[in-house]
Amino acid sequence: MTSAPLTLTVNGRPERLEGVPGGERLLDALRWRLGLKGTKEGCRSGDCGACTVLVDGVSVLSCLTLVHDVDGSRVTTIEGVAREPIGNAVRAAFDRAGALQCGYCTPGFVMALTGLLNERGTAAPLDELLDGLQGNLCRCTGYAAIVRAIALAQEAIR
Amino acid sequence: MPPFDLVAPSTPEEAIATLRTRPSGEVRVVAGGTDLLLDVDAGRIHPTTVVSLRRLPWRTLDWNGPALTIGSTLPLRALENDPDVRVRIPGLYQAVKAVGSVALRHRATLGGNLGRSAPASDLIPMLLALEAEVDLLGPDGARALPLDRFVKASRATELGPFELIRSVRIPEARPSAYLWQRVRPANDISQIAVAIAYSPRTNGWTVAVGGVPPRPRLFPEAGAVLGVGAPTPEAIQKAADRATRAVRLVSDRRASEEYRRHLVGTLLARAVRAAAAPEEFHR
């Protein structure tokens, strides 16, 4: 078992984690060590996108990321997304568009879209953003409102 | 979650020494982790030690004239975002984009994909068609192998127990295309995929097919009939027929053998047209 301490900056706050086993996922460290339950566990196999968080500004699947492998990184979860201008615009757009039904996929969608806009620029074409969200599944199939939220977010940022 | 010891050496030499000196138990190597953790969860592997490559200086992408060398731990998303890859080796760009989702590609690596050696790998058929070479580093130094020799079967490669995949070299940027068929783009693997490339140096076409057991493979018999330069519709049809006849296919939960056979011909014909005239072909 690996017990070297690791440090993360989570939603702007420095965190030092001790005694974390080598096989622990970022998802579990966020939910169970730091109490950040906004990041959801869906399939736990990289298919659904519900566990998406940002590591150094870009999206990763926290269920398939070893927490030790992101030692020293900046992590943003749904709880901290409003701290950044792009993330806040995306969050507000999902709210305004009513882009959720049961809400389970929402944190993953918000983080994935925020990551894409960080990476590709806020004026990225819609087809590229839709393409980039293919890894996020909404079991309620509430996609139409999610697509509206993308346009609202881009409008708000411009 | 079965516990394992995770070590992250800071040099390749240290990593190889770690592989050699671990006395007992199962030792595995991890780059991005997107395959390894699935295998751990499914109980397919039971590592006691996992060696993380995250500190090694292999997140590289180097163009040297027509050749491209890709470090084994470079995240696939970085390869996809390179503007030259998109323009100079379009098939490679398309194959990388076919792997999982954006968030997955921010972690997944080329080395991991080759080390896993899945029959439905999107990268292996394209790299076969590009005649890529795998650069391995072990206790006795480095050696380079054609990818076609490196890949053996599902989860089986020529990689020695104390060796690491250091990089992959594509000798020549080529007009190319990679087309696949599957049910969901980012959450499933291909039923069949066809990779095709044209060498300006030899004026020859190479054709590879993925989604076939026991591993993706080249079809020189299909490449040969495409001839030199832009092939005629008749040559494309003949190549598709040859590949369709030669390929070994199975029925499984993703697709029937019959449907796969149909896909090989259809995707091959489309891929040739896409590689020959990328500006006229959008998928």
Side-chain angles (χ1 to χ4, degrees):
Chain A
M1 307 281 279
T2 304
S3 53
L6 61 102
T7 56
L8 298 173
T9 303
V10 182
N11 300 329
R13 233 179 84 168
E15 302 281 359
R16 186 182 152 89
L17 302 178
E18 301 209 26
V20 179
E24 186 160 314
R25 322 297 167 93
L26 178 58
L27 171 69
D28 297 323
L30 291 171
R31 285 179 60 86
W32 303 108
R33 287 181 194 275
L34 300 174
L36 297 170
K37 303 278 180 72
T39 302
K40 302 305 182 200
E41 178 178 323
C43 65
R44 207 179 173 84
S45 56
D47 292 320
C48 78
C51 69
T52 306
V53 300
L54 303 186
V55 171
D56 295 328
V58 300
S59 60
V60 305
L61 298 169
S62 65
C63 75
L64 292 183
T65 301
L66 291 170
V67 62
H68 280 282
D69 271 350
V70 295
D71 185 13
S73 303
R74 193 163 50 83
V75 179
T76 309
T77 68
I78 190 70
E79 288 89 347
V81 77
R83 295 167 44 88
E84 298 166 20
I86 292 176
N88 191 43
V90 171
R91 180 203 60 75
F94 269 69
D95 182 1
R96 256 205 307 151
L100 64 146
Q101 289 184 37
C102 83
Y104 201 83
C105 71
T106 312
F109 265 105
V110 169
M111 301 320 293
L113 180 57
T114 302
L116 282 172
L117 295 172
N118 281 341
E119 199 186 345
R120 294 300 200 182
T122 52
L126 180 65
D127 59 349
E128 194 177 305
L129 298 175
L130 291 177
D131 194 49
L133 291 176
Q134 279 176 346
N136 292 78
L137 299 184
C138 168
R139 296 278 317 255
C140 309
T141 67
Y143 293 107
I146 292 171
V147 175
R148 283 200 297 277
I150 299 174
L152 288 177
Q154 285 190 297
E155 239 168 68
I157 297 162
R158 243 172 251 151
Chain B
M1 175 63 225
F4 54 74
D5 192 19
L6 184 73
V7 291
S10 41
T11 65
E13 294 69 31
E14 201 188 314
I16 290 160
T18 307
L19 293 175
R20 284 187 81 170
T21 54
R22 283 283 156 171
S24 64
E26 189 177 338
V27 181
R28 293 278 167 172
V29 171
V30 70
T34 54
D35 262 318
L36 179 102
L37 294 178
L38 294 180
D39 280 349
V40 169
D41 282 349
R44 281 188 288 266
I45 58 172
H46 304 88
T48 50
T49 301
V50 173
V51 179
S52 168
L53 305 185
R54 72 170 184 269
R55 295 202 175 113
L56 303 194
W58 291 349
R59 290 186 198 191
T60 53
L61 187 139
D62 296 302
W63 283 97
N64 184 5
L68 173 64
T69 303
I70 305 156
S72 65
T73 60
L74 183 78
L76 293 179
R77 182 69 168 166
L79 185 56
E80 171 187 348
N81 285 347
D82 182 76
D84 288 328
V85 168
R86 191 173 185 161
V87 174
R88 298 179 66 186
I89 319 180
L92 181 62
Y93 169 75
Q94 292 151 12
V96 170
K97 280 196 62 169
V99 180
S101 62
V102 169
L104 183 116
R105 296 198 294 277
H106 275 304
R107 298 285 311 159
T109 66
L110 181 51
N113 192 277
L114 300 187
R116 162 65 178 84
S117 184
S121 162
D122 291 296
L123 302 174
I124 292 173
M126 193 65 245
L127 291 168
L128 286 173
L130 292 166
E131 295 175 279
E133 216 175 60
V134 187
D135 176 46
L136 309 174
L137 190 66
D140 304 321
R143 61 177 178 135
L145 276 180
L147 179 64
D148 200 25
R149 274 186 51 210
F150 175 79
V151 175
K152 285 160 68 178
S154 183
R155 297 175 205 280
T157 68
E158 278 296 324
L159 191 72
F162 310 133
E163 275 186 315
L164 296 171
I165 304 171
R166 179 166 65 181
S167 63
V168 173
R169 184 173 175 277
I170 296 168
E172 177 188 43
R174 292 179 179 173
S176 49
Y178 181 76
L179 297 181
W180 45 263
Q181 177 69 29
R182 64 180 78 154
V183 176
R184 275 185 167 279
N187 328 87
D188 200 0
I189 58 175
S190 298
Q191 296 159 332
I192 282 291
V194 174
I196 187 147
Y198 179 77
S199 168
R201 189 172 41 84
T202 64
N203 288 323
W205 291 90
T206 42
V207 176
V209 177
V212 293
R215 45 157 285 192
R217 56 163 283 200
L218 284 161
F219 286 92
E221 56 275 52
V225 297
L226 290 170
V228 172
T232 61
E234 294 72 37
I236 294 175
Q237 188 54 49
K238 200 169 162 196
D241 290 345
R242 287 216 180 169
T244 306
R245 270 201 305 275
V247 70
R248 188 185 139 209
L249 298 162
V250 286
S251 288
D252 62 15
R253 61 190 169 140
R254 284 197 171 78
S256 67
E257 183 181 337
E258 190 188 1
Y259 182 55
R260 283 195 164 98
R261 205 164 288 285
H262 169 76
L263 285 175
V264 170
T266 305
L267 294 179
L268 190 145
R270 285 186 198 163
V272 175
R273 290 198 297 270
E279 64 284 352
E280 292 163 26
F281 193 98
H282 298 285
R283 185 178 196 275

